Amino acid sequence: MHVHKLEKVWLAIGFITLVAFLTTVGIQAFASGHGAPSDLTKVDPQNLEETEPFDDPGLHEIGENEYELVMILQSYGFTPNEITIPEGATVHFKVASKDVVHGFEIAGTTVNMMATPGYVNSTSYTFDETGEYLILCNEYCGTGHHLMSAQLEVE
Ligand code: CUA
C-alpha cells in the first residue's frame, strides 16, 4: 500500500500533538495533583459519620447571616434533606458522599458540583431571593437516582 508522503507528515503531526496533550494533562492530574477546586480536602468515606465536620451534619451559624451547611450524600438521599435559611444568607456548603459519585445541584442557582467519595466538596452561595429551592443529584447513581433530592427554603 502506498501512503503519500504528505499524509505521513500529517499523521506524524497528529500523533505528536496527541502525545504532547496527554503528557500535559497527565502531569497536571497525577504529578502536580491539580484536581477540581472543590476536591481539595480528603475524607475517609467509610468513617464519614465519625469524622469532623460530618459527625454533625446540618446547618451551623458561623457569622452574621453566614452559615456552614454540612451534608452527607448517599444512595439515595441527602442528610439533612430539609433546610431553612433566612433571606440574604451566605451558605458555605461542605458535602461528602458515603458511597458512589453523586451530584449536588441547586436548581436556579450557580451551585453545581460533583460529590466524589473520598473528598470534601465545597462551594459557597448567597441566597438573595426567598423561595423554595430544589437540591438534586445530577449524576446517575443507581436505580433510585431520580428520587434523590432535598429542599432548601429561603424565608
Ligand atoms: Cu445520587 Cu444520582
Side-chain angles (χ1 to χ4, degrees):
M1 192 178 76
H2 178 75
V3 181
H4 194 277
K5 194 179 150 202
L6 281 178
E7 222 168 330
K8 283 183 191 164
V9 170
W10 280 113
L11 280 172
I13 290 172
F15 184 73
I16 291 163
T17 309
L18 179 68
V19 169
F21 176 76
L22 290 178
T23 305
T24 308
V25 171
I27 288 171
Q28 284 198 328
F30 300 108
S32 317
H34 290 181
S38 59
D39 281 0
L40 295 179
T41 314
K42 289 186 175 162
V43 66
D44 179 6
Q46 307 290 325
N47 295 309
L48 203 54
E49 271 131 343
E50 290 85 54
T51 313
E52 273 208 346
F54 298 98
D55 54 348
D56 186 20
L59 194 67
H60 310 293
E61 191 165 4
I62 56 169
E64 199 177 321
N65 214 4
E66 193 172 352
Y67 298 86
E68 181 181 77
L69 179 56
V70 178
M71 272 184 134
I72 294 176
L73 279 64
Q74 69 186 106
S75 305
Y76 302 100
F78 295 81
T79 308
N81 65 5
E82 280 182 350
I83 306 108
T84 305
I85 55 166
E87 183 183 357
T90 297
V91 180
H92 304 284
F93 297 92
K94 276 192 180 167
V95 313
S97 168
K98 266 182 80 170
D99 40 41
V100 298
V101 173
H102 295 283
F104 185 86
E105 178 180 352
I106 306 180
T109 73
T110 53
V111 176
N112 186 354
M113 62 180 170
M114 275 164 79
T116 318
Y119 292 95
V120 178
N121 309 95
S122 48
T123 187
S124 300
Y125 190 80
T126 300
F127 292 85
D128 288 324
E129 281 179 44
T130 58
E132 292 255 314
Y133 291 78
L134 177 67
I135 302 177
L136 53 102
C137 175
N138 60 6
E139 292 283 339
Y140 183 74
C141 52
T143 50
H145 163 70
H146 62 287
L147 301 170
M148 192 166 165
S149 69
Q151 282 289 334
L152 186 140
E153 190 169 345
V154 182
E155 58 175 32

